[in-house]
């Protein structure tokens, strides 16, 4: 779990997480979120952030609501997907 730091120094903080089983079982996905300064957070968002520790433990409905709130407030977000074949190919290049 990312520890949110929020300080007024010009650094950008990005939360990143990945999910998937890698090259044996299918694609690997990764997501990144840049949150704005805490002063712009709504009260509901201030309550939400500390409770997002493991999205797999949230119901589908709660996970979708949390994702919507994150997307509405964040400065930027992105998702990347890599297939098992790409992992095999890139792994051979990097090794």
């Amino acid at each position: 779990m990312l520890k949110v730091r929020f300080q007024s120094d010009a650094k950008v903080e990005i939360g990143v997480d990945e999910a998937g089983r890698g090259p044996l079982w299918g694609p690997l996905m990764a997501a990144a979120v840049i949150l704005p300064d805490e002063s712009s957070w709504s009260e509901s968002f201030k309550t939400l952030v500390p409770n997002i520790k493991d999205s797999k433990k949230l119901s589908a409905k709660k996970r979708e609501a949390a994702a919507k709130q994150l997307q509405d407030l964040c400065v930027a977000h992105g998702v990347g997907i890599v297939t098992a074949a790409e992992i095999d190919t890139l792994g051979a290049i990097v090794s």
Side-chain angles (χ1 to χ4, degrees), residues 36-55:
D37 184 88
E38 194 172 3
S39 64
S40 66
W41 291 13
S42 67
E43 287 304 315
S44 64
F45 196 75
K46 288 178 185 178
T47 303
L48 170 72
V49 171
N51 294 315
I52 302 176
K53 291 184 175 47
D54 187 347
S55 63

Side-chain angles (χ1 to χ4, degrees), residues 23-72:
L24 295 177
W25 301 103
L28 180 67
M29 300 180 74
V33 176
I34 301 174
L35 296 178
D37 184 88
E38 194 172 3
S39 64
S40 66
W41 291 13
S42 67
E43 287 304 315
S44 64
F45 196 75
K46 288 178 185 178
T47 303
L48 170 72
V49 171
N51 294 315
I52 302 176
K53 291 184 175 47
D54 187 347
S55 63
K56 293 176 221 65
K57 293 182 180 179
L58 297 175
S59 68
K61 187 175 181 178
K62 286 183 180 180
R63 190 170 40 252
E64 288 175 23
K68 173 89 171 92
Q69 280 187 282
L70 281 167
Q71 291 169 2
D72 287 348

